[in-house]
Amino acid sequence: EGKKALAGKNGGSNEAELLNLLAETRLQQERTQDVDALIAEARKNGAMGQAEYLAARLLMHRRQWGEATRTLEESAKTSVMSLDQAVRTLLCLGKCYENIGAGDRRLVALRQAVAFAPSSAPAGAELGAALLDAGRTDEAAMQLRRTVQLSLPPDEAWASLARVLLLRNQTLPADKRDWQEVDHALGLAGQT
């Protein structure tokens, strides 16, 4: 049921995307009152899913992870979203689950985000980091290798790839360790 609501529409609304970007900018600037105004405007215009997403982002900014999680989960069940908004919501849910210590739920949300948008480098990087945090180094390495091949992978993807390769090398006998890929990933971390 929630999956249908999340991916109800293929395609995104330029207006919703601009509103999300504006809200993110205002949060970075600590202008939370502006985000409150954007939420009120979205509610006034009947864009309840957008309003709930923005409210959850504000809660996340305030580190109210439990309440943000509930808001995003409810929105995912009841709102029809564009594919972009669904992926954005799942990434936020992943961050919330990470902060409330729900690693399994984090993996489910991030796997769903990657399934919806396989070419999303941010989703791939988040899933790779979650797999690494869960101790699934082989899966993490595969996911992160795929992610760094995508267009504009985030620096975190390279850093996570270097970390997982380093961890894997440490489990191998000295004569089996390959540092070339580690060095390559470290060299690209922070330079993309």
Side-chain angles (χ1 to χ4, degrees):
E1 173 188 11
K3 211 175 203 182
K4 286 182 189 173
L6 275 175
K9 294 183 202 170
N10 284 330
S13 162
N14 288 337
E15 187 176 317
E17 182 66 22
L18 289 173
L19 188 61
N20 289 335
L21 290 172
L22 179 59
E24 292 296 332
T25 301
R26 295 302 183 249
L27 288 172
Q28 289 173 6
Q29 296 169 337
E30 297 294 328
R31 292 172 56 180
T32 56
Q33 72 283 0
D34 290 353
V35 179
D36 281 325
L38 293 172
I39 294 167
E41 185 69 24
R43 285 189 175 131
K44 182 177 130 189
N45 292 335
M48 296 311 290
Q50 186 69 36
E52 294 307 308
Y53 171 79
L54 294 174
R57 283 297 296 119
L58 188 56
L59 290 165
M60 290 171 68
H61 180 76
R62 293 177 175 153
R63 302 197 178 289
Q64 295 174 314
W65 302 109
E67 195 172 338
T69 301
R70 286 186 293 280
T71 301
L72 288 166
E73 288 173 339
E74 187 60 30
S75 180
K77 289 178 191 172
T78 60
S79 300
V80 176
M81 301 176 192
S82 69
L83 183 59
D84 290 341
Q85 188 63 45
V87 171
R88 190 182 301 267
T89 297
L90 288 165
L91 289 174
C92 286
L93 269 170
K95 184 57 113 177
C96 288
Y97 291 145
E98 175 184 10
N99 281 282
I100 64 172
D104 289 345
R105 291 167 73 190
R106 176 185 180 203
L107 282 172
V108 168
L110 296 174
R111 285 183 196 280
Q112 193 174 6
V114 169
F116 284 161
S119 63
S120 169
E126 288 295 323
L127 177 56
L131 288 164
L132 183 56
D133 290 347
R136 298 178 181 186
T137 54
D138 289 339
E139 287 179 79
M142 286 180 7
Q143 178 60 48
L144 291 163
R145 283 181 176 132
R146 278 194 300 266
T147 299
V148 298
Q149 298 302 314
L150 297 172
S151 177
L152 301 172
D155 294 342
E156 298 82 29
W158 288 106
S160 292
L161 180 59
R163 187 172 148 226
V164 75
L165 293 172
L166 178 66
L167 289 171
R168 287 178 69 199
N169 267 353
Q170 290 174 340
T171 65
L172 297 173
D175 64 327
K176 300 280 186 192
R177 295 177 184 170
D178 178 8
W179 297 104
Q180 188 174 10
E181 191 177 11
V182 176
D183 290 340
H184 178 72
L186 282 172
L188 290 172
Q191 293 189 17
T192 55

